[in-house]
Structures are given as C-alpha cells and as structure tokens.
Amino acid sequence: MKIALFIHEWIVGLIPAEITGLTQMVLIALTYLTLFAVLGLYLVLLERRVAAWFQLRIGPNRVGYQGLLQTMADALKLLTKELTGTVKADKFLYNLAPYFVIITSLMALGIFPFTKNLQAYDLNIGLFFLIAISSIGVIGILLGGWSSNNKYSLIGAMRSGVQTISYELSIGLSLLTMVLLTGSLQLSEIVEVQKNGWLIVQGHIPAIIAFMIYMIAGTAETNRAPFDMVEAESELGAGFHTEYSGMKFAYFFLAEFINMFIIAAIATTVFFGGWLSPFGITESIPWLGVFWFLLKTFVLVFLMMWFRWTFPRLRVDQLLTLEWKYLLPINLANIVIMALIVWLGLTLQF
Amino acid sequence: MSYFSNIYDGVKTLLTGMKVTGNYFLHSKKGAITQKYPENRDTLQMFERFRGEVVMPHDEQNEHSCTGCQKCEIACPNGSIEIIWDRVIDEKTGKKKKIIDKHIYHFGMCTQCGLCIDACPNDAIKWAQNFENSVYDRTQLTRVLNKPGSKVRAGVED
C-alpha cells in the first residue's frame, strides 16, 4: 500500500532504525484502537436507530445532526462516572475482567483483510486464531461474575458462560465446513479462493446451511437477543456486569458491539468473499475493497439487528436444546455432506 | 419425525416474524408513532381519553353545574377533592339550598383514577388535556376549581 510505504519511509527518516518496527506496531495498534472504539460507538447508535425504525419510533435525534453525536456524549458521560464496586470483591480480578473482554475483541480485529493490502497481520492460521481468541472473552465474563462478590452476578456469568461455550462449538464446526472448501486457514487465502465465486455459491447447499448455523451461533456468542439470557432487565439487572459502573461497564458494552462487527466480518470473509466485489465489477479499483467489505459486513450486522428486534428471548433450556439437539447434529451432518461435495467435485465455480 | 418438522416450523415462523418487522422497518418513516415533542407544542393534539387534570367547565355567564353534592369527594380514594360548602335560602322557593363555596382539588395527590368524574351526576367536572404540570412549589398544585363569583347553572338541580 502506498500510504503505508510513505509512512514507513517517513518514520525511518525520523528515528533510529532499531525501533522503527516497534513504533510502527504501536502506531498501527493506536489507529486500530481509535478506529474501532469509534466504530463500536457508532454501532451502538446504529442499533438504537434501527431498533427505533423497527418499532415505528424516531430514535435518538437530539445530540448533533440526527443524533450523530449521541453515543459520543454517552461515552463522555460514562468516562466521568464514578467507578464503584462491591466491598469484598476480588479487586484485581474485578478490574481485570473488562480488559479481558475488550482486548480479545480488539485482537481479533487485527487479522481481518479489509482489502488485499489493508491487513494489520496476515496470520497463516487466521481462522483458527479467530475462533481461539473469541473463546477467551468468556474468561472475562466468568471473572467478572465471580469476582464481583454478588451471587446474582455469578449466576449471570454462569448463564452467559454456558451459552458462549456451547455456541462456540457450532461456530467452530460451521467455519470448519467452509475450511473444507478452501483448504486453508489463512484469511487472505480464503478470500483469494473466492475469486472463482463466493464460497456461499461455491459450496451451495451445505454452505448455506453452514451460514445459517453460523449466524445463529454468532448471535448467541455475542450474547445478543434472542439469546441475551444475561440481560433479563427485571430479574438479573445485567447479569455478570451488574456491579460494574462507568467506563468498566462501557468496556463490556462496547465489546458486545465490536464482537457483533467481528462475527459479521468473519461471515463476510468466509462466506461472502471479503473485499471482493460481486462479479468482479470493480476489480480494477482495489481501494474499493474496503467499501465492499464494510457494505457486506453492515448488511450482516443489520441482519443481526433484525433478529434482535424480531424474536423473543429464549429460556435457558430452550437455548441449550437448540444448540445441543439441533445445531450440533445438523452441523456434523453438514460437514460430511460438504466433504462429499468437495470430494466428488460438485462445487460450483465460475 | 417431529424433529425435522420442528426445524421446518421453527424456520418458517421465524421468517414470518422477520417479515412483519421488516415491513415495519420499511414503513417507519411514514408511520412513526412517536413525535418530536417540544417542537410540535403548537400543533400537538392529545387524545380524547388522556387524563391530565380535573377541571370544572364554566360557561359565559360564569356558571358551572356543580351542586355541591359531594359525591366526587366521597368517591375520591385518597381525599384529593375537598368541597367547602354553604347553605343559602333559595329566593324563589324559600327553602334551604346547598351551594359550593370552594371546590378544592389537590392535584399533587391525584392519581388520575377518574372515579370523581364517573361519580358526578351533573358532569360538572371533566378531564383536561394539559400535561406540563411540573412546578417548583407543591402548593401551586392545590387548585380551586370554581372560579370566583361563579354560581350554579339554573336547571341543574331540578
């Protein structure tokens, strides 16, 4: 990328060569951090506006033009709030938990190929890394619930934990179905494979089933409705993060929305061709890749919001039934079908 | 085979639900049921059924139809209505007659249950539609409903 090269040369000219690598890493990390914190805030706003439209309301429209600064103002308010906690809480773990949750979300963002060149780090085990890193978030949830010294938080954390761990399986298996098709875990390579047609087209029936399972499990994984067992407003407060206030609460909240973006971004990369344009219409203009990537991702984010404002919340037994009785067996059968299709060469390629 | 029909029914009902909300989403611009309140203060129309506060309508001759029967005072569950009344001698018949001196309404205590309005035999009191009722001093919420110098409309008591 030309901009990256330019910045690289500029930094090399500025400081001694030994620390340029480190400086660049820090700079990239800071850019990502800022960009995705702002993205998280605007996802919150999008969620609120979309929710309003689904419920025939107007939604936040006061702060800034059409309420565009609303969530900025909310974040500012949360920054100024007092950080409270319970008396006998395990202070170290209690303070650690929100960082676990937010850092894992931000780490996952580092390996997404937004375009061919715009990728912070091209890991050769990309998909595996994503699945692994997204399971660490659950430790933050359990830590938060455990260390709050509040039995309701603990129950909330257990509910949330059982849900996240259960649906982790479905996510892993549905992505594995697609790995059978690509033969690679590297995200950039997965996108390259899709130049002959997006994977959802290449893998047709099993790919569509895998996509549906992935979206259901992804919605559950991010603790969003209809799977937001943790957030029964009247019974549990907000589950595992009842005792958190101010910015620590905001980390949990922001992580949920960044996770939603991550789930949609993985789906975009694995099923819908990442930064590739449909039918290669803008292949001559590579920087439009960001536009296509974000467009596809936001369509999927919208789909998740649509789920949220349509479906009623599941009971905990229904939630586990759905995962262990329906999604998992279908998923296993689906992998076999996909393997057969790849083996017999029945994939669709253009 | 209820396992597979369950899956089919589940997917089908979920898609039906998404169709309904999707329809709402597409028509949200036209049919928003909320309003931008302070901007539309001039054109705002409250609903007929809205219960703001209790008022006593007076006509042009400064007459109301409250006879001071106190049925509203008895009906009120928490004593928000207090009627200070008097007896005067009717000029025509020469009999003693009850008139109200002050119909006091403690709006600060009122729960808007509407029992007083149901209880009134002459429709002397009714609901008003105003709702911007916050004040700095609680005593401003104690209201005398009958205007000074008003009297009962002729024919109401017969």
Side-chain angles (χ1 to χ4, degrees), chain A residues 56 61-62 306 310 325, chain B residues 3 6 18 21 33 36 39:
Chain A
L56 296 180
N61 59 353
R62 297 286 159 180
W306 196 348
T310 303
K325 203 172 156 191
Chain B
Y3 181 82
N6 270 349
M18 283 177 76
T21 45
I33 48 173
K36 292 188 178 178
E39 284 93 337

Side-chain angles (χ1 to χ4, degrees), chain A residues 3-309:
Chain A
I3 306 170
L5 260 176
F6 175 74
I7 293 172
H8 175 77
E9 278 162 16
W10 180 63
I11 288 171
V12 169
L14 215 62
I15 51 173
E18 296 87 56
I19 53 167
T20 44
L22 193 69
T23 319
Q24 276 173 0
M25 278 182 213
V26 170
L27 276 179
I28 290 170
L30 277 178
T31 318
Y32 263 64
L33 211 64
T34 323
L35 271 177
F36 286 105
V38 172
L39 175 92
L41 286 179
Y42 276 95
L43 277 174
V44 176
L45 183 69
L46 186 73
E47 167 94 62
R48 288 176 65 181
R49 285 311 289 261
V50 167
W53 289 330
F54 273 126
Q55 297 173 342
L56 296 180
R57 294 185 284 115
I58 295 173
N61 59 353
R62 297 286 159 180
V63 190
Y65 175 71
Q66 291 288 312
L68 277 179
L69 297 176
Q70 178 70 55
T71 44
M72 290 283 178
D74 289 346
L76 215 63
K77 184 194 78 177
L78 283 169
L79 270 174
T80 58
K81 282 205 166 187
E82 186 192 357
L83 296 171
T84 59
T86 39
V87 178
K88 285 182 183 168
D90 188 335
K91 283 283 169 353
F92 177 68
L93 294 182
Y94 177 81
N95 291 328
L96 194 66
Y99 296 99
F100 253 103
V101 176
I102 191 99
I103 286 172
T104 50
S105 328
L106 288 170
M107 269 171 85
L109 285 167
I111 64 164
F112 279 112
F114 292 104
T115 66
K116 194 168 186 164
N117 299 312
L118 185 58
Q119 186 177 12
Y121 189 53
D122 193 7
L123 215 56
N124 61 353
I125 49 159
L127 215 50
F128 176 70
F129 176 79
L130 279 177
I131 297 168
I133 206 85
S134 60
S135 349
I136 295 179
V138 73
I139 296 178
I141 290 172
L142 289 176
L143 275 186
W146 170 257
S147 63
S148 290
N149 191 26
N150 172 340
K151 55 187 150 195
Y152 301 106
S153 291
L154 184 61
I155 293 169
M158 289 301 160
R159 284 151 72 98
S160 188
V162 76
Q163 176 184 338
T164 314
I165 290 169
S166 305
Y167 280 89
E168 197 69 55
L169 264 165
S170 278
I171 288 204
L173 286 176
S174 59
L175 290 179
L176 199 64
T177 319
M178 304 316 286
V179 171
L180 281 177
L181 204 53
T182 58
S184 170
L185 288 167
Q186 195 168 0
L187 289 180
S188 56
E189 213 163 286
I190 288 175
V191 177
E192 286 297 324
V193 168
Q194 304 188 50
K195 285 206 163 145
N196 304 322
W198 296 352
L199 283 190
I200 198 151
V201 182
Q202 281 194 32
H204 48 95
I205 297 164
I208 289 168
I209 295 172
F211 173 65
M212 282 166 77
I213 291 171
Y214 177 81
M215 279 319 273
I216 294 168
T219 314
E221 167 95 0
T222 49
N223 281 332
R224 286 175 60 79
F227 305 101
D228 58 343
M229 301 292 310
V230 275
E231 272 195 68
E233 284 87 2
S234 48
E235 302 97 297
L236 289 170
F240 62 94
H241 55 62
T242 314
E243 296 296 344
Y244 286 89
S245 71
M247 214 50 209
K248 282 186 210 158
F249 163 74
Y251 281 157
F252 283 117
F253 196 65
L254 213 59
E256 183 190 317
F257 281 89
I258 295 177
N259 275 334
M260 181 169 72
F261 180 80
I262 289 171
I263 292 290
I266 296 175
T268 305
T269 316
V270 176
F271 294 97
F272 293 102
W275 42 267
L276 295 170
S277 54
F279 309 112
I281 46 173
T282 59
E283 218 165 334
S284 50
I285 327 169
W287 55 266
L288 264 180
V290 184
F291 166 74
W292 288 114
F293 188 91
L294 289 180
L295 181 75
K296 290 170 193 171
T297 309
F298 275 100
V299 167
L300 293 177
V301 164
F302 175 75
L303 189 68
M304 286 170 86
M305 287 178 179
W306 196 348
F307 289 159
R308 175 166 192 168
W309 299 104

